[in-house]
């Protein structure tokens, strides 16, 4: 009986499979209690002497010696077989844990925590034809910059400044040996370049001068002509000042440009925060465009989505590539009334919807927007909806709290998307438009609509779409890019995204390592180990790219690092273990093992008692055998 | 609802190391000032079988309510452990009612059940909360909340001291729930969470909760039963539980524009109607309940920002010089903070003894239950019973031999 028990598969194996518990079949108790005859007892003596040599349990045993065998193998600890089987037992209950680089995870987070992620930025200010000593300019601009920069929480920039005074034939530089300003050739910018009225042409001219490859932010200050300050599409800005104006004013304005526009992207502090970057944890965004026909009985509209996609969206998506992997979907929906009511305004001859009620505009139960199958579990879907009102509520206008009508007729919701109300021609009173069964939204309207959508997307990313940056020391005009985001805005986004992703990756990996270390009985699959390893590698690459100023690739690899870290953290295999409590284990298996263990304990006691009896008998017999001789 | 007296304390001693290790996961940086982005609801009915009809009705009623108040289907995870509508014993096929007047068919239109039948397991439930899904699981079955989400978690079923039964075969323990919530907090999966549980001894389920931003309300205190409200003689079973019934009664008076506060909801539970004491646990929830509108959890008030300007990407392409838009709408409109109004200003005494009322009809073993409840320490009684079984077992074995 005991043999049957300890020779069977290891206990733990049975634990893992309740159905196999029946293997532990106690032989009938009657077998064990037949007492040996004296002849048998002699054999017992022999066997006992031989015992150390007979190592194998499987040694054939005479059938009448069964009880003896039981005695022989009674002590499972000393039994060599069980000693040898310990490695197997150990192996079979061993839990596979792929080694995780805990130390590297810690060092990543301490690295991010201790020395803030510093992005190097190079500024270059060029004063054409006027100005005092460049060293003095350099000092005054720097002091203005330090006045403006606030201590950012997580990521800051490590900026260097060089100032060039272009006197046509020669240049005065400060600092004299800066590697960044030396690429600029003297006299390549003259005041006459800025006389023309075409800002785009000036922008292109400057782009050819500075070269698009150089990673520095330049600002040119020119004297003469009408006052004007413009930020271009690339990495430079220019400023035309009056003949009579002071250099000091220009210095303040330049410093504000560098800090507020080129570093911060021209956004307000705390409008939409870092954490609310609408990018999924896997670095993907799905832009879902929906055309909602509120009541198809009145009119049905369709759109030429592919055309607008090619013209407007494709360049923007390409430009945003380093920040997020974006895909686009579109659908046309019918029978999609809005959730709240508008009222008729006689003066405007239209229905007015107050922005105070905007939270109740989206009718989530009728607008089936989230129908995407392309989006993975951790991607972000941004919904953009064009709402075509029904005849009962057309034209529909949005009214701001101050009574002014909205120019865009649209609104956004952070992390969700945006809505535009588009009033079809049919409901304008004086139009002779006859709605047919199926109408196409005119291309001009569609373009306007998508410009609003791009504005909304920019808003979701935290940028303003107005073409003026109103600073404390004066306004800067901002040249819009056909790609939706200018180069300097994309770099602001890349820096921000890289910073956010790296911190998020470090915290995720930190949580994972704490979880793993706190559960020593948890299986860690190789896949998780690989994901953590690759995530760390990508994070290191992102860090080194960030410190060398390659923001795009830093953002790209940081998003990869974050995505892999999330994959590892949310790996489905972790769940099954962390949920499996010991209490469950006990509750499930105790019904199997409680009766068995009772038998085992009783049998052991019985064997012990019998052993004592046998021994007493044997001693008596021995004494008897000894006395006659 | 029957009380399941649980012999757990003995096991807890054994368990402690395991659980302590797990719950020692520390919090990292907490996002304090995160903005509210969206609302989610996870509604769970955990019990099978026809006689648990009311649990499905409870859950479906809550589903209708939150949907009416603005949470869309794609942000509701509905888990129903059994399909009462198609049960052969249902006299009204494909219909589920929560009232004997049969005025409202809960299973009428647009009911999107995300997890049904045997899919409703403790494991799946915890997977939904923690987000650890297989890659093939569709978005509609996932809780895709973010750090600005408000989540309502409603659970109903049979429970007991620190556990809730799933499918009559598994248990969700208070430790499991607390661990899942902790994991959610760690990964910033919610900003605020309201856990609402309608089961016997519901308050015990919250014992282990420690995460900040979590508010919990249960239908009954430790040692109390939660009773059903009334029996529908046509359907043949009870159709709604008391706690849920009075919750629904509160929400019937509200629409999406209302801003009744959570405290008015919590104080609307009258222990003499409930026949148990509704217990809420504020824990580390910071905001004052008078200031929190119920729509924080039971509705969806979108944060909206008006779009000031279009981005003139195309129209600028051809023109050169442009003039600044001077009349900018600088005003960014946030939906106004809605100041909650106290709908219900009733003061009531709190400990109302449920015994001796007709509600006992709800508990099939009511007399047995009551006897047990009267005993001072039920757990120790059970433990003594277990110990007493051991010599009995030994004697029987000696006899068998």
């Amino acid at each position: 009986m005991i043999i049957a028990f300890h020779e069977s598969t290891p206990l733990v194996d049975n634990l893992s499979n309740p159905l196999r518990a029946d293997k532990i079949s106690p032989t009938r108790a009657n077998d064990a209690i037949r007492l040996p005859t004296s002849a048998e007892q002699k054999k017992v003596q022999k066997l006992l002497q031989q015992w150390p040599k007979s190592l194998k349990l499987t040694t054939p045993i005479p059938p009448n010696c069964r009880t003896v065998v039981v005695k022989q193998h009674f002590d499972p600890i000393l039994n060599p077989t069980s000693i040898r089987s310990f490695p197997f037992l150990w192996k079979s209950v061993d839990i596979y844990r792929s080694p995780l680089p805990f130390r590297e995870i810690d060092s990543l987070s301490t690295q991010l925590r201790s020395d803030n992620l510093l992005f190097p930025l190079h500024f270059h200010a060029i004063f054409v034809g006027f100005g005092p000593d460049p060293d003095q300019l350099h000092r005054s601009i720097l002091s203005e910059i330090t006045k403006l920069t606030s201590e950012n929480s997580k990521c800051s920039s490590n900026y260097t400044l060089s100032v060039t005074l272009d006197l046509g034939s020669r240049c005065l530089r400060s600092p004299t040996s800066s590697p960044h300003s030396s690429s600029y050739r003297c006299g390549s910018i003259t005041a006459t370049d800025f006389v023309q009225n075409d800002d785009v042409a000036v922008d292109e001219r400057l782009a050819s001068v500075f070269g698009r490859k150089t990673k520095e932010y330049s600002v040119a200050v020119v004297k003469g002509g009408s006052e004007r300050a413009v930020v271009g599409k690339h990495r430079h800005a220019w400023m035309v000042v009056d003949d009579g104006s002071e250099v000091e004013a220009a210095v303040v304005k330049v410093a504000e440009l560098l800090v507020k526009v080129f570093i911060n992207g021209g956004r307000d502090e705390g409008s939409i925060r870092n954490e609310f970057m609408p990018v999924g944890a896997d670095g993907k965004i799905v832009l879902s465009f929906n055309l909602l026909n509120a009541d198809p009985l009145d009119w049905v509209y369709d759109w030429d989505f592919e055309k607008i996609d090619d013209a407007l969206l494709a360049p923007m998506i390409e430009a945003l590539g380093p920040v997020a992997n974006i895909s686009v979907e579109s659908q046309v929906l019918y029978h999609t009334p809005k959730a709240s009511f508008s009222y008729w305004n006689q003066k405007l001859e239209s229905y007015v919807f107050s922005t105070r009620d905007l939270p109740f505009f989206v009718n989530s139960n009728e607008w089936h927007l989230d129908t995407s199958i392309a989006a993975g579990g951790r991607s972000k879907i941004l919904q953009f909806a064009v709402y075509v009102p029904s005849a009962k509520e057309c034209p529909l206008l949005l009214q701001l709290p101050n009574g002014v009508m909205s120019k865009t007729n649209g609104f956004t919701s952070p992390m969700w998307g945006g809505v535009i109300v588009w009033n079809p021609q049919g409901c304008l009173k004086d139009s002779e438009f006859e709605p047919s069964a199926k109408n196409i939204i005119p291309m001009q309207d569609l373009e306007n609509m998508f410009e609003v959508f791009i504005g909304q997307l920019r808003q979701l990313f935290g940028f303003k779409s107005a073409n003026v940056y109103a600073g404390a020391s004066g306004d800067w005009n901002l040249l819009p890019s056909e790609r939706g985001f200018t180069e300097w805005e994309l770099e602001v986004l890349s820096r921000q995204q890289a910073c956010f992703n790296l911190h998020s990756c470090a915290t995720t990996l930190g949580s994972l390592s704490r979880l793993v270390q706190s559960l020593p009985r948890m299986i860690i699959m190789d896949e998780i180990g690989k994901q953590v390893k690759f995530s760390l590698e990508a994070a290191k690459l992102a860090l080194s790219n960030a410190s060398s100023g390659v923001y795009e690739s830093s953002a790209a690899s940081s998003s990869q690092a974050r995505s892999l870290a999330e994959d590892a953290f949310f790996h489905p295999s972790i769940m099954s273990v962390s949920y499996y409590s010991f209490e469950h284990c006990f509750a499930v298996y105790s019904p199997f093992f409680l009766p068995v263990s009772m038998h085992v304990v009783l049998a052991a006691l019985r064997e012990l008692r019998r052993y004592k009896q046998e021994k007493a008998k044997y001693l008596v017999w021995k004494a008897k055998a000894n006395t006659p001789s | 609802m029957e009380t399941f007296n649980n012999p757990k304390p003995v096991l807890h001693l054994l368990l402690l190391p395991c659980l302590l290790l797990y719950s020692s996961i520390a919090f990292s940086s907490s996002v304090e000032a995160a903005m509210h982005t969206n609302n989610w609801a996870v509604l769970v009915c955990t019990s099978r079988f026809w006689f648990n009809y009311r649990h499905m009705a409870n859950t479906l009623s809550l589903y209708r309510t939150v949907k009416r108040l603005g949470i869309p289907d794609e942000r509701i995870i509905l888990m129903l452990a059994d399909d009462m509508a198609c049960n052969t014993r249902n006299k009204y096929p494909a219909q589920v009612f929560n009232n004997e007047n049969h005025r409202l068919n809960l299973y009428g239109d647009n009911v999107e059940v995300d997890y049904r039948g045997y899919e409703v397991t403790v494991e799946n439930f915890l997977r939904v909360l923690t987000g650890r899904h297989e890659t093939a699981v569709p978005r509609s079955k996932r809780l895709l909340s973010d750090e600005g989400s408000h989540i309502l978690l409603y659970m109903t079923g049979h429970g007991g001291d620190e556990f809730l039964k799933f499918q009559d075969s598994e248990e969700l323990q208070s430790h499991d729930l607390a661990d899942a919530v902790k994991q959610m907090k760690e990964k910033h999966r919610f900003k605020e969470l309201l856990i609402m549980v309608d089961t016997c001894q519901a308050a015990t389920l919250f014992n282990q909760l420690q995460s900040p931003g979590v508010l919990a309300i249960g239908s009954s205190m430790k040692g109390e039963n939660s009773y059903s409200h009334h029996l529908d003689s046509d359907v043949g079973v009870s159709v709604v539980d008391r706690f849920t019934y009075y919750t629904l009664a509160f929400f019937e008076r509200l629409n999406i524009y209302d801003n009744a506060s959570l405290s008015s909801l919590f104080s609307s539970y009258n222990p003499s109607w409930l026949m148990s004491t509704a217990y809420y646990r504020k824990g580390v929830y910071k905001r004052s309940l008078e200031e929190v509108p119920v729509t924080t959890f039971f509705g969806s008030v979108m944060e909206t920002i008006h779009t000031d300007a279009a981005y003139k990407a195309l129209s600028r392409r051809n023109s050169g010089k442009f003039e600044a838009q001077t009349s900018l709408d600088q005003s960014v409109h946030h939906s106004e903070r809605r100041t909650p109004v106290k709908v219900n200003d009733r003061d009531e005494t709190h400990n109302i003894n449920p015994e001796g009322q007709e509600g006992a009809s709800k508990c099939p073993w009511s007399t047995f239950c009551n006897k047990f409840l009267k005993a001072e320490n039920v757990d120790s009684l059970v433990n003594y019973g277990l110990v007493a079984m051991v010599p009995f077992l030994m004697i029987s074995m000696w006899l068998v031999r």
Side-chain angles (χ1 to χ4, degrees):
Chain A
M1 154 180 179
I2 307 250
I3 297 169
F5 184 65
H6 88 227
E7 267 216 317
S8 70
T9 41
L11 230 144
V12 185
D13 193 9
N14 284 316
L15 255 177
S16 65
N17 186 351
L19 294 177
R20 293 182 62 180
D22 59 351
K23 277 202 174 168
I24 308 161
S25 50
T27 43
R28 286 190 48 217
N30 287 347
D31 290 354
I33 53 166
R34 189 174 59 88
L35 293 180
T37 58
S38 56
E40 279 170 355
Q41 280 171 356
K42 277 183 189 168
K43 280 182 187 169
V44 170
Q45 264 194 308
K46 271 188 190 171
L47 272 168
L48 276 174
Q49 283 160 5
Q50 288 170 1
W51 178 64
K53 288 174 218 158
S54 63
L55 294 175
K56 281 186 187 168
L57 263 177
T58 46
T59 323
I61 296 158
N64 53 354
C65 288
R66 267 162 78 184
T67 48
V68 183
V69 175
V70 167
K71 195 195 279 177
Q72 213 181 59
H73 296 283
F74 181 64
D75 189 350
I77 308 296
L78 291 177
N79 188 327
T81 312
S82 44
I83 289 169
R84 258 186 295 165
S85 68
F86 258 120
F88 297 106
L89 180 84
W90 189 249
K91 186 74 193 155
S92 66
V93 298
D94 189 31
I95 281 171
Y96 182 72
R97 283 167 76 86
S98 170
L100 293 188
F102 296 120
R103 202 176 300 154
E104 287 174 49
I105 293 171
D106 285 346
S107 75
L108 176 70
S109 40
T110 46
Q111 193 183 347
L112 283 173
R113 215 180 307 127
S114 61
D115 44 63
N116 282 341
L117 200 55
L118 286 179
F119 291 99
L121 294 172
H122 305 296
F123 297 131
H124 186 196
I126 301 161
F127 288 78
V128 181
F130 80 109
D133 176 38
D135 287 331
Q136 195 193 326
L137 276 173
H138 189 253
R139 268 197 307 279
S140 49
I141 292 177
L142 270 187
S143 74
E144 286 297 325
I145 289 178
T146 41
K147 256 187 234 167
L148 287 168
T149 40
S150 54
E151 261 318 301
N152 206 342
S153 54
K154 279 174 177 172
C155 297
S156 44
S157 39
N158 176 20
Y159 53 83
T160 53
L161 173 72
S162 55
V163 176
T164 306
L165 188 57
D166 188 345
L167 299 172
S169 52
R170 66 198 176 93
C171 289
L172 297 176
R173 294 175 203 269
S174 166
T176 34
S177 60
S178 168
H180 303 292
S181 58
S182 53
S183 62
Y184 172 73
R185 277 195 306 113
C186 289
S188 43
I189 302 176
T190 54
T192 49
D193 289 334
F194 300 94
V195 173
Q196 53 182 313
N197 260 353
D198 190 349
D199 283 333
V200 176
V202 175
D203 189 38
E204 291 308 314
R205 165 95 182 89
L206 285 181
S208 66
V209 169
F210 292 118
R212 289 183 191 180
K213 292 283 165 249
T214 51
K215 290 276 176 186
E216 62 176 19
Y217 296 96
S218 337
V219 52
V221 184
V222 185
K223 204 165 199 172
S226 56
E227 199 151 330
R228 187 157 186 78
V230 182
V231 184
K233 282 183 275 190
H234 306 287
R235 286 187 199 82
H236 46 257
W238 66 92
M239 204 173 125
V240 183
V241 292
D242 279 342
D243 290 320
S245 65
E246 300 281 319
V247 170
E248 282 69 35
V251 163
V252 170
K253 209 171 165 183
V254 164
E256 190 179 21
L257 167 85
L258 296 179
V259 174
K260 297 285 180 186
V261 177
F262 284 147
I263 297 182
N264 289 341
R267 30 184 157 181
D268 293 342
E269 304 285 324
S271 56
I272 289 185
R273 295 176 24 145
N274 257 4
E275 288 79 15
F276 289 104
M277 283 281 273
V279 182
D282 56 355
K284 284 181 190 158
I285 305 176
V286 176
L287 300 181
S288 164
F289 290 92
N290 305 277
L291 176 57
L292 308 174
N293 288 293
D295 191 352
L297 296 177
D298 296 333
W299 43 61
V300 172
Y301 275 90
D302 200 356
W303 54 7
D304 191 355
F305 188 81
E306 273 179 34
K307 206 168 170 186
I308 202 83
D309 183 27
D310 289 343
L312 261 179
L313 296 178
M316 184 183 73
I317 287 162
E318 200 196 332
L320 281 172
V323 178
N325 184 359
I326 303 178
S327 52
V328 173
E329 293 181 342
S330 76
Q331 63 177 347
V332 181
L333 296 174
Y334 305 98
H335 299 286
T336 51
K338 64 180 167 33
S340 195
F341 300 106
S342 54
Y343 62 90
W344 173 252
N345 186 323
Q346 192 57 49
K347 208 169 80 195
L348 293 162
E349 292 204 328
S350 54
Y351 290 89
V352 169
F353 193 88
S354 163
T355 44
R356 213 169 289 117
D357 290 333
L358 277 186
F360 309 106
F361 189 92
V362 173
N363 184 353
S364 321
N365 288 326
E366 300 291 336
W367 300 13
H368 297 285
L369 303 180
D370 194 359
T371 51
S372 172
I373 48 162
R378 280 193 282 283
S379 314
K380 183 86 214 162
I381 295 190
L382 293 180
Q383 318 283 358
F384 290 97
V386 182
Y387 179 75
V388 183
S390 62
K392 286 198 296 292
E393 46 166 19
C394 189
L396 181 65
L397 300 176
L398 302 184
Q399 188 180 34
L400 296 174
N402 56 10
V404 181
M405 288 299 137
S406 163
K407 284 201 201 74
T408 54
N409 235 11
F411 65 92
T412 57
S413 177
M415 303 297 273
W416 183 83
V419 174
I420 299 175
V421 178
W422 178 75
N423 295 307
Q425 284 289 309
C427 64
L428 301 176
K429 254 194 190 156
D430 47 347
S431 75
E432 290 143 30
F433 175 80
E434 194 63 35
S436 56
K438 198 158 191 178
N439 314 285
I440 304 283
I441 297 179
M443 205 58 198
Q444 187 54 45
D445 283 18
L446 202 59
E447 277 179 7
N448 291 339
M449 219 183 269
F450 273 75
E451 281 179 345
V452 178
F453 277 146
I454 290 180
Q456 292 183 337
L457 184 65
R458 288 169 56 86
Q459 204 171 14
L460 295 176
F461 275 108
F463 290 109
K464 289 184 174 166
S465 301
N467 55 7
V468 172
Y469 172 72
S473 58
D475 294 353
W476 287 87
N477 287 347
L478 310 177
L479 271 188
S481 163
E482 309 84 65
R483 302 195 299 167
F485 292 84
T486 58
E487 245 167 84
W488 53 269
E489 280 171 335
L490 286 172
E491 287 184 350
V492 171
L493 269 187
S494 292
R495 284 198 294 270
Q496 187 190 348
Q497 191 66 5
C499 170
F500 174 66
N501 281 341
L502 281 173
H503 278 99
S504 160
C505 167
T507 34
T508 307
L509 288 179
S511 312
L512 180 70
S513 81
R514 276 199 303 278
L515 179 71
V516 164
Q517 281 168 325
S518 67
L519 289 171
R521 301 290 295 168
M522 182 167 78
I523 298 168
I524 303 164
M525 291 163 78
D526 268 336
E527 203 182 345
I528 298 176
K530 266 183 207 155
Q531 281 162 344
V532 170
K533 196 177 132 219
F534 292 144
S535 167
L536 278 172
E537 277 170 16
K540 269 179 207 150
L541 187 65
L543 274 176
S544 73
N545 277 334
S547 56
S548 60
V550 196
Y551 313 128
E552 291 87 356
S553 41
S554 173
S557 44
S558 74
S559 101
Q560 200 187 356
R562 180 184 172 205
S563 158
L564 283 166
E566 297 271 326
D567 282 349
F569 187 85
F570 285 114
H571 198 278
S573 73
I574 292 177
M575 188 66 231
S576 54
V577 180
S578 55
Y579 145 69
Y580 189 79
S581 71
F582 182 78
E583 197 165 11
H584 277 92
C585 175
F586 196 87
V588 169
Y589 293 112
S590 58
F592 294 109
F593 287 101
L594 216 58
V596 171
S597 63
M598 208 69 84
H599 278 281
V600 171
V601 170
L602 287 180
L605 287 173
R606 217 157 41 217
E607 287 298 325
L608 195 70
R609 203 189 50 173
R610 203 179 54 78
Y611 172 77
K612 277 179 185 161
Q613 282 176 353
E614 293 291 316
K615 184 139 193 201
K617 267 195 228 163
Y618 169 67
L619 287 175
V620 168
W621 170 78
K622 204 177 177 186
K624 256 189 212 163
N626 282 346
T627 14
S629 64
Chain B
M1 255 173 242
E2 304 83 17
T3 304
F4 290 88
N5 290 300
N6 193 4
K8 288 281 154 58
V10 186
L11 305 184
H12 278 174
L13 287 176
L14 297 163
L15 283 182
L16 222 54
C18 167
L19 289 162
L20 280 179
L21 279 171
Y22 186 35
S23 52
S24 69
I25 297 165
F27 291 119
S28 54
S29 62
S30 59
V31 183
E32 280 302 317
M35 189 177 15
H36 168 226
T37 51
N38 51 26
N39 274 82
W40 285 81
V42 181
L43 312 173
V44 195
C45 154
T46 64
S47 36
R48 286 194 77 71
F49 306 127
W50 174 245
F51 56 85
N52 294 321
Y53 184 96
R54 61 185 185 280
H55 294 151
M56 184 171 164
N58 287 347
T59 315
L60 283 172
S61 314
L62 247 290
Y63 172 77
R64 283 189 68 91
T65 303
V66 295
K67 230 172 125 170
R68 184 172 62 83
L69 293 176
I71 305 184
D73 246 336
E74 68 235 29
R75 294 208 294 268
I76 302 176
I77 311 284
L78 181 60
M79 304 175 101
L80 297 178
D82 203 347
D83 190 0
M84 299 309 167
C86 301
N87 195 301
T88 43
R89 284 202 243 178
N90 193 351
K91 199 182 155 195
Y92 303 93
Q95 296 177 67
V96 176
F97 300 105
N98 68 353
N99 200 316
E100 60 181 341
N101 62 20
H102 292 193
R103 231 180 275 152
L104 178 66
N105 174 19
L106 299 171
Y107 217 59
D109 47 354
N110 280 336
V111 177
E112 210 179 280
V113 186
D114 297 295
Y115 290 82
R116 72 163 73 234
Y118 287 112
E119 286 179 337
V120 183
T121 57
V122 176
E123 187 186 330
N124 276 344
F125 172 70
L126 294 177
R127 278 186 194 280
V128 166
L129 291 189
T130 53
R132 293 203 168 91
H133 290 284
E134 300 288 340
T135 39
V137 172
R139 286 176 72 87
S140 63
K141 285 188 162 195
R142 292 174 185 239
L143 181 68
L144 298 166
S145 53
D146 52 51
E147 63 266 68
S149 301
H150 291 171
I151 302 179
L152 166 72
L153 170 58
Y154 173 85
M155 293 187 281
T156 179
H158 291 281
D161 192 3
E162 302 215 0
F163 73 97
L164 175 67
K165 284 211 305 179
F166 269 66
Q167 299 275 5
D168 229 13
S169 63
E170 286 183 294
E171 286 172 6
L172 172 80
Q173 287 169 23
S174 56
H175 289 280
D176 298 332
L177 184 66
D179 284 344
V181 170
K182 209 161 202 173
Q183 292 259 310
M184 287 169 82
K185 192 73 207 171
E186 174 111 0
K187 275 311 288 173
H188 306 309
R189 282 170 69 75
F190 66 85
K191 180 169 173 247
E192 288 176 16
L193 170 68
L194 172 65
I195 306 178
M196 191 176 221
V197 183
D198 189 352
T199 179
C200 291
Q201 312 195 38
T204 56
L205 208 57
F206 314 137
N207 283 355
Q208 313 299 330
L209 286 178
Q210 281 150 2
S211 305
V214 181
L215 197 60
I217 180 159
S219 59
S220 51
M221 306 274 281
K222 183 175 170 147
E224 285 184 339
N225 290 339
S226 291
Y227 295 101
S228 74
H229 187 260
H230 64 269
L231 182 121
D232 182 338
S233 43
D234 281 347
V235 177
V237 285
S238 305
V239 286
V240 69
D241 279 318
R242 282 176 178 261
F243 178 74
T244 308
Y245 181 86
Y246 290 109
T247 308
L248 296 174
F250 178 85
F251 282 107
E252 277 312 303
R253 290 177 280 139
L254 300 184
N255 61 31
I256 51 173
Y257 304 103
D258 261 308
N259 42 17
S261 71
L262 268 185
S263 72
S264 67
L265 168 67
F266 289 175
S267 59
S268 75
Y269 297 118
N270 186 338
S272 62
W273 299 342
L274 248 52
M275 293 163 52
S276 60
T277 320
Y279 165 85
Y280 69 85
R281 186 178 181 281
K282 237 184 122 193
V284 211
Y285 189 78
K286 286 217 181 76
R287 291 158 73 188
S288 157
L289 294 185
E290 280 80 26
E291 288 162 13
V292 184
V294 283
T295 42
T296 311
F297 296 106
F298 290 89
S300 182
V301 180
M302 243 184 177
E303 291 287 333
T304 53
I305 302 170
H306 173 249
T307 312
D308 299 329
Y311 192 71
K312 297 291 180 190
L314 268 188
S315 25
R316 292 281 166 243
R317 191 183 278 168
N318 303 319
S319 63
K321 180 116 176 173
F322 61 94
E323 283 311 310
Q325 300 170 351
T326 43
S327 63
L328 277 173
D329 297 318
Q330 296 290 353
S331 62
V332 171
H333 172 76
H334 289 270
S335 72
E336 267 137 59
R337 278 280 143 247
R338 314 164 88 228
T339 44
V341 178
K342 198 156 190 185
V343 160
N344 210 337
D345 260 315
R346 231 180 311 115
D347 270 355
E348 61 265 289
T349 50
H350 268 281
N351 290 306
I352 299 248
N353 194 351
E355 280 169 44
Q357 299 194 24
E358 39 78 46
S361 66
K362 279 315 298 136
C363 202
W365 327 333
S366 58
T367 49
F368 181 68
C369 285
N370 286 341
K371 257 181 208 164
F372 253 64
L373 288 171
K374 272 174 198 155
E376 281 290 297
N377 196 341
V378 179
D379 297 325
S380 60
L381 195 74
V382 174
N383 296 339
Y384 286 135
L386 259 183
V387 173
M389 274 172 66
V390 173
F392 181 74
L393 197 66
M394 292 182 79
I395 291 165
S396 68
M397 298 225 342
W398 277 110
L399 291 175
V400 164
R401 176 171 85 96

